[in-house]
Amino acid sequence: PKAENLTCRTVHLRKGVAVRVTEDGEGGVAGCVWEACWGLLKYMEKELSTDPLAFKEKKALELGAGTGLASLSLAFAGACVTTSDLEENLDLLRMNMRENVQGTQFEVPTVHALCWGDEIPAKVIESGPFDIIIASDCIYNLTVAEKLVETLVQLCTKDTVVYFPYSSRHPVEEKVFFEQWVKPRFEVEQVGQEHFPRDSEIMLLLRRRQDREKAAGGEGE
């Protein structure tokens, strides 16, 4: 990223934990923190207030990480984090991971290129199996949302919980997407609405259906 396009903001994740997140004004959709991420952070903070060890040593993966703010929150909660985005977005992501976590007691998240719908890179598979997968505000473009689901199906075990916050932009099309692609493959639970300032911001937890082959009619659909 070019230095003249970069801005930094301090984000207080929880008591005693703050990070400096660099955003790239010319970085497109991956260059900034999206709205649904703020509610996700509050939801995770509530989990930690109930159980400070909620994420400790959990294996976590973030898809479409952008600036990586959610990955940082998990890393500072003691999780073993793998974070990912498209190859062209990784410089900013690596910068935020390195500059915030390096030199602390916590493990620096590993950064990998991952394109939804493509074969999962071996290094990502080796980092799993994942207890937690974050896909925050990843369905703004519904033309690639089916590929996101395909990737989640490949990555999730029966024990994986997917944190899936998003801002609703196309309610009719989103309803079709969830009915046709998500619900046949995942159990869907809406949670934490009190952490989102607008009704159009929604937080879901997804878990793989154990009868997924029967419900989805096979993985090829």
Side-chain angles (χ1 to χ4, degrees):
K2 295 181 180 179
E4 61 267 26
N5 297 326
L6 301 181
T7 57
C8 293
R9 69 164 99 182
T10 299
V11 179
H12 295 273
L13 296 173
R14 60 197 71 100
K15 186 177 181 180
V17 181
V19 296
R20 282 182 58 79
V21 177
T22 298
E23 297 177 285
D24 182 358
E26 295 297 323
V29 295
C32 62
V33 180
W34 285 49
E35 289 303 318
C37 185
W38 301 113
L40 170 64
L41 295 179
K42 291 177 182 177
Y43 179 79
M44 292 195 292
E45 180 182 345
K46 182 179 179 181
E47 289 195 300
L48 286 166
S49 69
T50 303
D51 177 9
L53 303 179
F55 302 121
K56 186 173 176 59
E57 298 181 356
K58 298 288 188 182
K59 291 185 177 182
L61 169 68
E62 185 172 11
L63 301 175
T67 64
L69 179 54
S71 292
L72 289 173
S73 181
L74 283 169
F76 279 97
C80 302
V81 181
T82 302
T83 189
S84 67
D85 211 307
L86 297 175
E87 181 70 45
E88 59 265 31
N89 299 329
L90 296 188
D91 286 347
L92 181 66
L93 187 54
R94 287 193 181 101
M95 180 190 305
N96 278 322
M97 297 305 106
R98 181 180 62 250
E99 293 186 356
N100 281 283
V101 190
Q102 194 166 296
T104 72
Q105 63 178 304
F106 300 103
E107 181 179 335
V108 179
T110 57
V111 179
H112 294 295
L114 196 161
C115 182
W116 308 335
D118 287 359
E119 183 177 352
I120 307 295
K123 289 184 178 180
V124 173
I125 294 174
E126 291 166 5
S127 298
F130 297 105
D131 302 292
I132 298 165
I133 296 177
I134 289 181
S136 179
D137 236 334
C138 285
I139 58 170
Y140 60 90
N141 182 356
L142 286 169
T143 63
V144 297
E146 294 173 7
K147 293 182 178 180
L148 171 62
V149 174
E150 291 172 3
T151 295
L152 287 172
V153 166
Q154 293 181 67
L155 289 167
C156 287
T157 71
K158 64 181 178 63
D159 299 315
T160 306
V161 179
V162 181
Y163 289 53
F164 200 92
Y166 70 99
S167 297
S168 179
R169 298 172 178 84
H170 309 287
V172 175
E173 292 84 352
E174 288 160 3
K175 182 178 180 180
V176 172
F177 164 71
F178 278 103
E179 291 295 331
Q180 293 187 352
W181 280 89
V182 179
K183 290 183 178 179
R185 295 160 177 82
F186 293 90
E187 297 175 359
V188 178
E189 178 186 4
Q190 185 170 348
V191 296
Q193 195 60 46
E194 67 272 17
H195 302 304
F196 293 82
R198 290 181 287 273
D199 290 341
S200 60
E201 294 174 5
I202 298 164
M203 173 74 183
L204 303 177
L205 298 180
L206 310 182
R207 295 176 176 85
R208 273 301 256 139
R209 286 191 178 278
Q210 296 311 296
D211 59 346
R212 58 188 180 276
E213 290 84 7
K214 185 182 298 183
E219 300 294 356
E221 289 192 3

